Amino acid sequence: MEQKSRIVSPVVWQLLSFVLFFGLWEVAGRWPISFAFPPFSKTFMALIRMIADGSLPKAYLSTLQPLVIGIFFCSIAGIGFGVGMGLSRTIEWFSLPVFIVLQAAPMAAIIPLLTYMYGIGLTSKVLAVVVLAAPVIVMNSYKGIRNTNPSLIQMCRAFLGTRRQEVIKIILPHAAALIFAGLRLGLAMGFIGIVIAELLITPTGIGDLITYHSSVADYPEMFAAIASIIMLAALTIHALERLERRLFPPEIRET
Amino acid sequence: MSADTIVQIKEVRKIYDGGVEALTDVSLGLPRGRLSTLLGPAGAVRQRSSKIIAGLISPTSGEVWVKGKKVDGPGPERAFVFQDFALLPWANVLRNVAFGLELRGTSKEQRFEVARKHIAEVGLSSFESSYPHQLSGACAKGSGSLAPWQSMPILS
């Protein structure tokens, strides 16, 4: 058994899983049930066409803009807030309930409110990304700080370390892995946020491609747009996950 | 306080937030120049009592005097070895052992030199660049107890 799995590398199995999935998609698409569900081959051709005529790259240029701004803002303010909540009881007292509610609330319901307050421009789309991504980034940073091994803090105090040294040399390195994991989860939420925003607020970028092609019944193009954003999100999150494992190998994290 | 008593515990009482009374009016003296051991079954707050002497936990009432001075926090004359070794999981043995000096702002070469000397004394030189998770229990204990040794004089 062991020898066999050594010969067939995991990459082969992963490729096989893709082949199986796309194969089933092809068969399902050719089944004459719904005209609105194109087979894989047609979708793939549509994807190539959309890349070639520049409509897909152009759409991503406008989709990624609010996503990048939103995530950038969240990673600075969100981590700052989370760390602050972890370090100070006062900040924790008045902001923890808000973030717990935000984390549980169905955020898509807030988006019409954002449109009402901030219009249909970039601001509401950035905010849509922020309201979805911020809670998980803040909560992870907060938990990372709070879960610091008390023994390590006492060790620092026993060596007459200052509070500043305690934070910089013990608490922050200790929380780094969880904070990074929060960023990764936040980015995943950000992708959800931006697609919801583009579908609910005003169709721009990838949301526009999806709505437009669906309204003129170009189903392969519509599916290609959907598949492309799923692919992009999956690849980005996967890359971040690998980076996370390199930066913070599980064995040097506190158990 | 007699001259040959180095640690004097006077009617120390410790009550936790939940109302659990861990120590009730404990008074004792530890002699100078001798190795004293606190014995007791699990949960007998031996570790907690030593933390009170170390100044890491403050008693609810009562006083601890060390070398004729009242304890109101950790001090350079008292070293503490943690039960779980308190090693930084992201730092190797060398940095862990030198951590006390790092906190004091000693230069890298200087503190690593001191740490290397002490690591060699306990025969752990080949583990200098290992991380705590790579060490056996005994090695971890070695590095954990070295850390306080080299930055502070032991109670004498």
Side-chain angles (χ1 to χ4, degrees):
Chain A
M1 253 328 252
E2 208 188 309
Q3 256 188 336
K4 202 175 175 183
S5 61
R6 235 180 251 164
I7 297 164
V8 186
S9 74
V11 180
V12 175
W13 287 111
Q14 281 162 0
L15 281 178
L16 268 178
S17 125
F18 276 109
V19 169
L20 184 73
F21 176 76
F22 291 138
L24 282 176
W25 180 356
E26 184 70 29
V27 172
R30 286 178 184 276
W31 221 274
I33 295 174
S34 168
F35 171 69
F37 186 61
F40 169 68
S41 53
K42 278 192 180 170
T43 310
F44 188 73
M45 291 317 290
L47 181 70
I48 302 288
R49 267 202 309 281
M50 285 160 82
I51 294 173
D53 70 9
S55 62
L56 200 64
K58 210 176 113 206
Y60 272 109
L61 217 59
S62 72
T63 295
L64 292 181
Q65 203 183 340
L67 182 66
V68 170
I69 298 175
I71 291 298
F72 179 74
F73 175 77
C74 277
S75 36
I76 293 174
I79 292 177
F81 224 102
V83 169
M85 271 162 66
L87 293 177
S88 149
R89 291 273 170 197
T90 322
I91 303 179
E92 181 192 10
W93 254 74
F94 66 77
S95 46
L96 185 60
V98 176
F99 283 103
I100 289 176
V101 170
L102 280 181
Q103 210 175 18
M107 284 302 173
I110 292 183
I111 288 178
L113 189 72
L114 290 179
T115 324
Y116 180 70
M117 291 194 293
Y118 296 100
I120 54 173
L122 185 66
T123 322
S124 355
K125 283 173 189 164
V126 170
L127 279 173
V129 172
V130 170
V131 290
L132 268 121
V136 65
I137 294 179
V138 171
M139 289 305 281
N140 257 53
S141 312
Y142 163 71
K143 281 178 198 155
I145 298 286
R146 253 318 134 74
N147 287 343
T148 312
N149 182 348
S151 238
L152 293 181
I153 295 178
Q154 287 193 329
M155 181 266 286
C156 188
R157 284 189 197 151
F159 283 145
L160 305 175
T162 59
R163 171 73 173 157
R164 198 186 136 87
Q165 285 176 320
E166 199 177 299
V167 172
I168 291 174
K169 291 186 186 283
I170 310 268
I171 298 178
L172 284 179
H174 197 279
L178 257 182
I179 293 177
F180 197 88
L183 274 183
R184 174 168 54 81
L185 297 173
L187 185 62
M189 293 305 287
F191 269 104
I192 298 176
I194 193 58
V195 172
I196 293 180
E198 287 193 334
L199 290 175
L200 286 183
I201 300 175
T202 34
T204 49
I206 209 71
D208 177 42
L209 283 184
I210 296 172
T211 2
Y212 171 74
H213 288 296
S214 125
S215 66
V216 297
D218 279 340
Y219 295 114
E221 273 81 358
M222 179 186 106
F223 268 79
I226 297 173
S228 73
I229 186 94
I230 294 175
M231 239 158 52
L232 180 72
L235 287 176
T236 318
I237 303 303
H238 182 67
L240 271 183
E241 212 173 326
R242 292 186 76 142
L243 181 67
E244 189 181 326
R245 272 207 299 269
R246 270 186 86 117
L247 291 176
F248 313 103
E251 60 269 21
I252 68 159
R253 296 184 196 179
E254 188 70 36
T255 45
Chain B
M1 187 171 147
S2 65
D4 54 353
T5 309
I6 189 159
V7 176
Q8 188 72 46
I9 298 174
K10 295 177 181 168
E11 287 169 6
V12 163
R13 177 187 292 236
K14 178 73 191 170
I15 301 168
Y16 287 107
D17 291 341
V20 178
E21 193 160 351
L23 294 169
T24 313
D25 298 336
V26 174
S27 295
L28 68 108
L30 303 178
R32 180 187 295 269
R34 299 266 292 277
L35 180 68
S36 304
T37 313
L38 227 53
L39 294 176
V45 291
R46 290 155 301 168
Q47 169 97 350
R48 305 270 175 177
S49 315
S50 5
K51 278 187 182 169
I52 290 177
I53 300 174
L56 293 170
I57 305 177
S58 50
T60 312
S61 66
E63 292 175 352
V64 177
W65 291 70
V66 173
K67 282 184 171 172
K69 267 164 57 186
K70 195 183 159 193
V71 168
D72 55 358
E77 77 286 354
R78 278 160 289 140
F80 192 87
V81 180
F82 287 82
Q83 212 162 27
D84 60 356
F85 317 136
L87 295 168
L88 306 174
W90 57 86
N92 60 20
V93 167
L94 187 62
R95 186 173 167 212
N96 263 302
V97 172
F99 192 67
L101 292 175
E102 184 179 332
L103 291 180
R104 287 181 171 194
T106 315
S107 76
K108 205 168 190 165
E109 302 86 55
Q110 219 178 338
R111 62 176 195 257
F112 280 178
E113 195 192 312
V114 176
R116 279 206 183 89
K117 202 184 101 210
H118 288 279
I119 294 172
E121 274 170 11
V122 292
L124 285 178
S125 287
S126 49
F127 294 100
E128 255 174 33
S129 48
S130 304
Y131 287 85
H133 72 97
Q134 296 165 320
L135 301 174
S136 67
C139 294
K141 191 164 196 135
S143 351
S145 35
L146 272 182
W149 270 197
Q150 42 73 31
S151 68
M152 297 172 187
I154 312 165
L155 274 180
S156 54

